[in-house]
Amino acid sequence: MLNSQPSVPEIIIPDELLPPKELRLSVGGSFKAIGTEFFRYFIEIAGLQPDEAVLDVGCGVGRMAVPLTQYLSDRGSYEGFDIVESGITWCQSVISPRYPNFQFQRADLYNQYYNPTGSEEASNYRFPYSDNHFDFVFLTSVFTHILPDGLENYLKEIYRVLKPGGRTLVTAFLLNEKSLSCLESGLSTLELPEIFENYRLADKRFPESAVAYEERFFVALAEQGGLRVNSPLYYGSWCGREDFLSVQDILLMGKP
């Protein structure tokens, strides 16, 4: 449950902003339902305002962008980047012409699972935006596909591009006493048999297919990068816990 949350406006997503079926299937889950779910979290948890500057890291085929087109004002702005070219091409050709304050670009980052021919590494990638530019940065289902060096760099880049007082909402698979107990009891929907220091993998052959991090390690890395991790953390159902908010765990962090 969310406490003392601001009211979330009802939005209607135009049919012309729905990607073709094959693109929707490529990101899994319900395009409308998941986009609307996180739109609610952006407002209720992160306090997103219509006139703010927003960055969507790993924007995919616009699942989070589409609801925001119905919320951000002309004074607000949205930037998104992703490693999968087909999704960016669709967003550039369909969303940006209708909403010029929504812009998308491709990042040719190596990912064995999603972009095996990528020319850059997540561990060295500099987000293509200036310092102190965004009020709100979010990453959904991104840190679940990034290895530790990339995680550390992305957290530092989030800090760099956030304005002082800015917020970031991210999802992850967090390993803590409860989630580990659920894993050991066979309750989890995700198997993580490959165990390393501070993280676990679903498949060592394709490391980025699913990555879970020890909660203490994740929080410490964020704080070392300058971010402040807010309480509470919103735990997800992925490990089989009975009390949850979403599927993945959700953290809200800020730049002091």
Side-chain angles (χ1 to χ4, degrees):
M1 298 293 292
L2 303 179
N3 298 320
S4 63
Q5 63 266 33
S7 60
V8 178
E10 184 177 351
I11 57 169
I12 298 175
I13 296 175
D15 288 341
E16 62 266 23
L17 294 183
L18 294 179
K21 184 177 180 180
E22 62 271 16
L23 286 181
R24 297 200 305 271
L25 291 174
S26 70
V27 295
S30 169
F31 187 89
K32 272 189 176 182
I34 295 175
T36 303
E37 174 192 356
F38 274 87
F39 169 70
R40 189 171 78 248
Y41 300 154
F42 297 158
I43 296 173
E44 292 180 344
I45 296 176
L48 178 63
Q49 299 298 309
D51 58 352
E52 292 190 305
V54 174
L55 172 61
D56 182 356
V57 178
C59 61
V61 296
R63 182 159 59 187
M64 305 301 163
V66 165
L68 289 172
T69 63
Q70 309 304 298
Y71 180 70
L72 291 183
S73 71
D74 292 340
R75 297 186 304 277
S77 65
Y78 169 103
E79 296 279 350
F81 72 84
D82 198 272
I83 66 177
V84 180
E85 187 171 13
S86 58
I88 292 297
T89 299
W90 185 86
C91 291
Q92 289 173 335
S93 62
V94 176
I95 298 177
S96 293
R98 293 173 170 82
Y99 302 91
N101 56 336
F102 280 68
Q103 296 297 316
F104 303 85
Q105 57 184 295
R106 170 107 189 283
D108 189 26
L109 291 167
Y110 172 80
N111 184 295
Q112 185 177 349
Y113 194 74
Y114 288 102
N115 191 33
T117 62
S119 61
E120 297 188 68
E121 296 284 347
S123 58
N124 299 317
Y125 185 65
R126 182 178 172 88
F127 293 178
Y129 311 102
S130 59
D131 297 357
N132 307 313
H133 184 80
F134 295 100
D135 299 288
F136 181 50
V137 176
F138 63 87
L139 299 85
T140 58
S141 296
V142 173
F143 287 148
T144 53
H145 301 290
I146 288 185
L147 296 173
D149 287 348
L151 170 66
E152 181 177 10
N153 180 54
Y154 270 40
L155 288 168
K156 290 178 179 177
E157 282 296 288
I158 291 168
Y159 177 86
R160 181 182 66 80
V161 301
L162 272 177
K163 297 177 182 178
R167 300 92 63 213
T168 179
L169 183 147
V170 308
T171 71
F173 297 134
L174 297 177
L175 301 171
N176 50 38
E177 185 177 355
K178 178 63 175 179
S179 60
L180 288 170
S181 174
C182 289
L183 282 168
E184 292 165 5
S185 301
L187 298 175
S188 177
T189 57
L190 178 66
E191 293 186 6
L192 297 163
E194 308 293 346
I195 302 174
F196 299 85
E197 185 179 8
N198 302 318
Y199 68 102
R200 296 189 180 198
L201 301 177
D203 189 342
K204 191 161 54 176
R205 298 167 301 170
F206 298 97
E208 298 96 341
S209 62
V211 187
Y213 285 100
E214 289 185 5
E215 181 179 312
R216 286 177 296 181
F217 171 76
F218 192 105
V219 169
L221 210 57
E223 292 178 343
Q224 288 169 18
L227 295 168
R228 181 184 62 243
V229 180
N230 291 21
S231 293
L233 306 187
Y234 301 91
Y235 295 115
S237 64
W238 68 272
C239 64
R241 70 172 72 235
E242 295 180 355
D243 185 18
F244 58 87
L245 178 63
S246 187
V247 175
Q248 297 182 14
D249 304 315
I250 298 175
L251 303 90
L252 179 68
M253 302 180 283
K255 179 174 180 175

